[in-house]
Amino acid sequence: MGHRRAFLQHLGLLGLSTASITKIFDQKKKFIPFASSEPMLMCSRGEYWGKKVLNPAWDVLIETNNILDAIETGANVCELDPTDQSVGYGGLPNERGVVQLDASCMYGPTHRCGSVASLENIKKACSVARLVMERTDHTFIVGPGALEFAKAHGFPEENLLTEESRLRWLEWKENMSDKDDWIPPADGVYIKKAKKGGTINVLGIGMKNDVAGITTTSGLFAKIPGRVGDSPIIGAGLYVDNEVGAAGATGRGEEVIRTCGSFLLMEKMRAGMSPQKACEFVLERIIDINGGLDKVDFNVKMIAMNLNGETGVASIEPEDHAAPYASIITSKGYKLISGKAMRSM
Ligand code: GLY
């Protein structure tokens, strides 16, 4: 028996006539959420950051019933922590040694969004992105304009370059060419290597099936000043849809931008694909565009959740020699989830 017929028979047992089922699938042609979605928060990191970010975010959700406050609280934890060298304070700088942050925020019930890019001297980039969404008639503010806007809202200007990140940058600068005037130290010693990090996505479904998401990053290390990645681009590094769910990307932003990764993922979920399959679909598209896995020398990771409470995570490369992971938290507590790496381990 074909899958479709078996599925229809299964629904028939639930008391739905074939005519009404056909109506659901053929007329609406969109994802039909279960009525009983449970609140859930999701983060693109494993257990260490997953718990650090999601536990306080969950507390805020329970206290305030406000999904945006919850995910912002979680993302701020990472932005404010200098031990993470890929997000916020302590992020790795551009080729001139200046930290420039990108972030976005999107809210399902209003379908509104806000982003900042190339933002300097402000630690909580995602909070500024949220204010662009909530307190302007625009969606995207960049560079000095974003800094001015943040200052207008009372954010203090601070140096984002930590000693660890400065030394990491100096190491890059002094070793990138033997034809310039920068010379590495005689003993070749700089500093212990940075902890692994990466852009972070924090996604959530609140108490009223209200979906929201944040993506925040310091972007590519040693990037050309002004380079903007996928994180603040709505539809690339982040997308949410209140009828379907939420999706986010980390990794090489240029590839996610040219595939509209998070929007593509969302549309696949809307058409009925599971979050896991939809994450894999986007990565397959990226791999195809690049001429096959053999030609791919970068990583992209996609995460997603839908209103049924299903989740997905996939990356091109394995993570720590294992399947890629992400974290979720629900009323049942924290859970590490793992998905699929497109390149076998
Ligand atoms: N995904 C982060 C970036 O490429 O900037």
Side-chain angles (χ1 to χ4, degrees):
M1 191 185 338
H3 287 310
R4 181 174 161 86
R5 190 194 282 180
F7 183 50
L8 290 178
Q9 277 192 359
H10 176 70
L11 291 181
L13 291 175
L14 297 177
L16 288 165
S17 70
T18 308
S20 64
I21 295 159
T22 307
K23 203 170 161 199
I24 290 170
F25 279 95
D26 293 348
Q27 287 190 355
K28 292 203 166 182
K29 282 204 182 344
K30 67 182 180 188
F31 180 79
I32 312 292
F34 288 0
S36 59
S37 299
E38 293 286 332
M40 175 165 67
L41 304 177
M42 182 175 195
C43 155
S44 53
R45 301 275 180 92
E47 191 163 350
Y48 176 75
W49 283 104
K51 285 183 170 166
K52 262 181 114 136
V53 165
L54 293 182
N55 283 331
W58 184 259
D59 290 345
V60 169
L61 185 64
I62 297 303
E63 244 169 63
T64 66
N65 197 8
N66 185 319
I67 188 65
L68 282 167
D69 287 349
I71 60 170
E72 181 185 352
T73 300
N76 285 161
V77 169
C78 195
E79 290 178 325
L80 293 173
D81 190 327
T83 67
D84 184 294
Q85 288 188 296
S86 61
V87 173
Y89 176 47
L92 289 171
N94 65 20
E95 67 179 20
R96 283 197 209 126
V98 177
V99 181
Q100 291 187 321
L101 304 179
D102 297 343
S104 60
C105 176
M106 190 166 184
Y107 185 50
T110 56
H111 214 75
R112 280 183 60 79
C113 48
S115 297
V116 289
S118 299
L119 174 64
E120 295 178 11
N121 298 341
I122 302 289
K123 286 179 177 169
K124 297 199 272 187
C126 80
S127 301
V128 185
R130 181 179 172 184
L131 283 168
V132 172
M133 175 176 83
E134 292 182 333
R135 303 285 291 273
T136 77
D137 194 25
H138 305 325
T139 56
F140 204 164
I141 306 182
V142 305
L147 173 61
E148 208 175 297
F149 175 75
K151 281 163 56 181
H153 278 277
F155 289 80
E157 255 198 280
E158 295 169 279
N159 178 22
L160 303 186
L161 190 67
T162 55
E163 200 49 13
E164 287 76 11
S165 292
R166 184 189 63 78
L167 286 168
R168 182 79 193 283
W169 170 80
L170 190 63
E171 179 176 357
W172 169 81
K173 185 85 181 156
E174 290 183 341
N175 287 280
M176 70 180 225
S177 167
D178 55 10
K179 294 189 176 56
D180 64 19
D181 298 330
W182 293 73
I183 301 173
D187 63 2
V189 175
Y190 289 89
I191 194 170
K192 63 182 183 325
K193 288 288 173 231
K195 279 200 190 105
K196 274 187 77 157
T199 304
I200 192 165
N201 315 122
V202 187
L203 312 176
I205 299 174
M207 309 291 183
K208 300 163 279 190
N209 283 0
D210 42 348
V211 184
I214 279 173
T215 298
T216 180
T217 189
S218 56
L220 206 60
F221 175 39
K223 61 192 173 186
I224 294 174
R227 175 265 188 192
V228 176
D230 59 321
S231 304
I233 311 280
I234 297 299
L238 177 70
Y239 202 74
V240 315
D241 186 312
N242 226 52
E243 291 189 334
V244 183
T250 57
R252 186 164 172 75
E254 283 72 6
E255 298 295 333
V256 182
I257 291 172
R258 67 183 183 143
T259 45
C260 299
S262 294
F263 183 73
L264 178 60
L265 197 163
M266 189 65 62
E267 289 308 295
K268 284 292 159 187
M269 291 202 294
R270 185 192 297 281
M273 210 177 248
S274 71
Q276 182 57 39
K277 288 287 170 216
C279 288
E280 292 168 26
F281 180 90
V282 173
L283 297 180
E284 276 160 12
R285 175 70 60 83
I286 291 174
I287 291 166
D288 278 354
I289 285 172
N290 280 278
L293 201 49
D294 292 350
K295 304 263 169 37
V296 170
D297 61 357
F298 54 81
N299 195 22
V300 171
K301 176 174 165 181
M302 303 299 306
I303 68 164
M305 61 201 287
N306 69 17
L307 290 179
N308 295 346
E310 296 168 319
T311 57
V313 50
S315 61
I316 296 177
E317 302 296 341
E319 223 166 342
D320 297 334
H321 310 289
Y325 37 72
S327 295
I328 59 167
I329 192 163
T330 64
S331 56
K332 297 191 185 77
Y334 170 86
K335 192 171 164 205
L336 182 71
I337 57 167
S338 75
K340 179 174 166 179
M342 308 308 279
R343 199 188 300 279
S344 47
M345 290 172 269

